[in-house]
Each structure stands twice: as structure tokens, then as C-alpha cells.
Amino acid sequence: MEIGLALPTAGPETSPETIVKVAKEAERLGYAALWTFERLLRPLEKVVLWTGGEPQTVPEFYGSTYEPLETLSYVAAETERIKLGTAVLLAPMHVPVMLARRLATLDQFSGGRVIAGMGQGWQHHEFETANVSSRRKGVRTEEFIAAMRTSWGPDPVQHEGEFYKITPSQVNPKPVQAHIPVLLAATSPAAIKRAARISDGLLPLTSSAQELRGVVSAFHEAAREAGRDPRDLQVVNQAAWPTPVTREPIGDGRPFLGGSPRQIAEDLMAARETGATQVYLAAGQGLGLDVGLKAADVDEWLGLLGEVIQEADRLGVLAP
């Protein structure tokens, strides 16, 4: 199983210098992938969050976020081997051909290191801002992925569907990879089935090894029902921000994938046993907020991340 890392692309204390520093050190330490996310805006009025329930203030975390593809393009020039992933890009906010070309361009500049994590979006203000209906967003996202993949294929590119149309055209550049992996963020049964049918993998966000095992099992079963081999698909589990990495072990109430390097490594081993192919850690995803890391903590955090890799290697997490 691989271990990835979320870049510190959110919060008032992040900076290009810090992002590059983290990216280069993550590659040196042996992390497999760097991850970014997309957020168009943070509305000031209360909204119903992705978790449901009564309207709430949108977390301050979303008040300042670097654009994911521009960030990864910059990072690509400063790294050599580490994969570059999005978790996630909000598919309905984009145009398939435009996003296909941007991802292909990044794949060219990075030498074929792109992982395209996609999501449907949940914040209605973002749909309004993009002038896109939030109705039937699952079906829209499914067609979006089909049109994007078509754009990566041989010319002439052509697509005609309910939401998108591409007249027979040349669409270039093409990616370096013969097949850029497209992963879908999903936790609901319907979304997991869709991901199993059309994607190259799943991007769940789980709070325990037991929950992750259930998600992986449902995903693999849905893949088999769709006539696909689960061994060909990825499951990249996200550790929720700001799940901490600490010097000393955490006792009661310790979050999944949080705690000391040894505790995290043990959780990573449990994740490996569920069938997950990668887990990425997100403690440093936002800097300078009320919770989580401050910019001054980054060096210490990077040191602990090195210990996480060492402990994971000792336990056999990284074994083929």
C-alpha cells in the first residue's frame, strides 16, 4: 500500500514557499503522492454542509485555498517522481474539454504523474456561481468523465450527450499516460456503485478501519457486478483534516490515522488489510487556523512524517 500526503494549500499561513518545501520533503521521505483540493468560494451565510443537518457556517478552512492544478503545475517543476493528485476537482464547475487539456498539460509537464480525483460538489452557492444546475449532478458528472476521457483519446474527438457536446475536433495535447487514472469521491451506496462502474478508483473519507473495510467491500462487490476486476481499481482513503500527527501517543478518543507515528503506522496497516491501495494524511492541509498546524509547526510536522514512513516500513505497510 502507498502513503500519500495532502499539501498545505488552505489557510491564511500557507504560501508557495511552504507548499514547495513540503512537496520536496515528501518526495525525499518516500511518500507516493501529493494531493490538493478545489473550493470555489466560502459563502458567509449558513448552509447545509456535506454532512447534512441544519444550516451551519462553512468552516474557515475553506476561506483561502490555492487552485489545485496551478499548484500542482508549480510543484511538478520542483519534484521528479511523486504523483500529483486532486481530491477533488468539482466536475460540474468545469468544461470537459478545458479540464481535459489542463490535466493533459500537467501530465506532459510532470512526465505522466497525474491522478484526476473528481467529485460532484455539494455547495449550492458554487453551482450558482458557475451557472450550473445542481439537479442530477451525479448523471452530469458521469457524462463529464466520459467526455473528458474522449478528449484524451485519438483525434478527431467527438461527443454528444445530454449535458455536453464536442463537435469532431482535434483536442491536444494528449496525456503522457495512456490512461490518466480518474478516481471518484463517494461514500453513499449509489455513488459507490457509480464509481465502481465508471471510474479507476474510489476516494472515500472514513473514520475507522471498520468503516473503510465496509466501503472497500461494497466498492469491490459493485465492481464485480459491473463486470470489472477489483484488482484493477484503486481505493485512496483520505484522512480527515486536521487529524493530528503527534510526538506522543494519543489515548482515548484517538482519531483513525491520527496520533504518534507508531499509532498511525498501525492504522495504516489496518487500512492495508481492508484492501485500500493508498491512504493520504491531511494534518497539514490547512495552516494558521483555529485548529491544526501553524506555519511555524511545519518543520516539526515534516520530521514526524519521516517517522511515520519508517514505522510503516517496519510493519510491512509499504511491502508490495
Side-chain angles (χ1 to χ4, degrees):
M1 190 184 78
E2 297 178 333
I3 308 175
L5 186 68
L7 285 169
T9 55
E13 291 183 8
T14 195
S15 66
E17 294 77 16
T18 299
I19 291 169
V20 168
K21 178 179 184 177
V22 170
K24 294 173 75 169
E25 183 65 4
E27 182 172 71
R28 188 190 72 79
L29 291 171
Y31 282 81
L34 299 168
W35 294 90
T36 60
F37 73 100
E38 181 171 52
R39 193 87 272 152
L40 269 65
L41 44 78
R42 178 186 181 239
L44 300 182
E45 69 181 40
K46 292 183 179 181
V47 302
V48 176
L49 302 182
W50 64 95
T51 51
E54 294 298 315
Q56 301 178 45
T57 300
V58 176
E60 185 188 359
F61 178 71
Y62 296 125
S64 175
T65 60
Y66 278 65
E67 275 294 294
L69 294 186
E70 283 75 0
T71 299
L72 291 177
S73 294
Y74 195 90
V75 165
E78 298 286 342
T79 55
E80 297 178 357
R81 301 175 305 281
I82 198 164
K83 298 172 190 174
L84 308 170
T86 59
V88 293
L89 296 173
L90 308 174
M93 312 301 161
H94 295 272
V95 175
V97 167
M98 292 177 66
L99 187 58
R101 294 183 69 250
R102 293 176 70 196
L103 287 165
T105 299
L106 176 57
D107 207 51
Q108 285 283 343
F109 274 101
S110 67
R113 292 188 273 153
V114 171
I115 306 170
M118 311 294 294
Q120 300 177 16
W122 58 268
Q123 195 184 120
H124 73 271
H125 294 89
E126 292 183 325
F127 283 89
E128 292 171 355
T129 300
N131 196 28
V132 175
S133 172
S134 61
R135 293 181 61 252
R136 305 181 67 221
K137 60 185 178 181
V139 177
R140 179 186 289 272
T141 298
E142 184 168 343
E143 186 184 329
F144 184 101
I145 290 171
M148 184 171 66
R149 283 177 168 156
T150 297
S151 300
W152 290 331
D155 292 331
V157 169
Q158 181 178 7
H159 175 86
E160 186 156 357
E162 180 180 357
F163 302 101
Y164 305 106
K165 178 176 180 179
I166 308 171
T167 193
S169 303
Q170 291 180 308
V171 178
N172 290 286
K174 305 299 184 187
V176 170
Q177 298 179 81
H179 189 91
I180 289 181
V182 177
L183 279 55
L184 271 178
T187 52
S188 72
I192 289 173
K193 287 186 176 181
R194 177 179 289 112
R197 195 164 38 79
I198 70 168
S199 77
D200 301 300
L202 191 69
L203 281 164
L205 178 63
T206 60
S207 59
S208 68
Q210 182 178 3
E211 182 184 1
L212 177 57
R213 181 175 288 105
V215 169
V216 173
S217 177
F219 180 58
H220 286 177
E221 179 60 29
R224 284 188 286 268
E225 290 176 359
R228 307 181 71 190
D229 188 341
R231 292 173 296 183
D232 296 333
L233 305 175
Q234 302 180 46
V235 177
V236 179
N237 189 66
Q238 310 169 64
W241 180 85
T243 303
V245 184
T246 60
R247 172 63 57 193
E248 299 300 326
I250 296 177
D252 294 342
R254 182 178 70 87
F256 181 47
L257 297 166
S260 69
R262 178 71 182 189
Q263 288 176 315
I264 293 171
E266 290 171 351
D267 283 352
L268 290 168
M269 192 64 192
R272 174 190 169 104
E273 291 170 354
T274 70
T277 55
Q278 185 183 140
V279 170
Y280 79 79
L281 308 178
Q285 197 168 38
L287 298 181
L289 299 163
D290 291 340
V291 293
L293 295 179
K294 307 298 181 185
D297 301 328
V298 167
D299 286 342
E300 180 182 2
W301 172 63
L302 287 171
L304 291 172
L305 289 176
E307 295 181 28
V308 170
I309 288 286
Q310 292 172 2
E311 293 288 349
D313 192 35
R314 289 191 190 103
L315 290 179
V317 173
L318 304 176

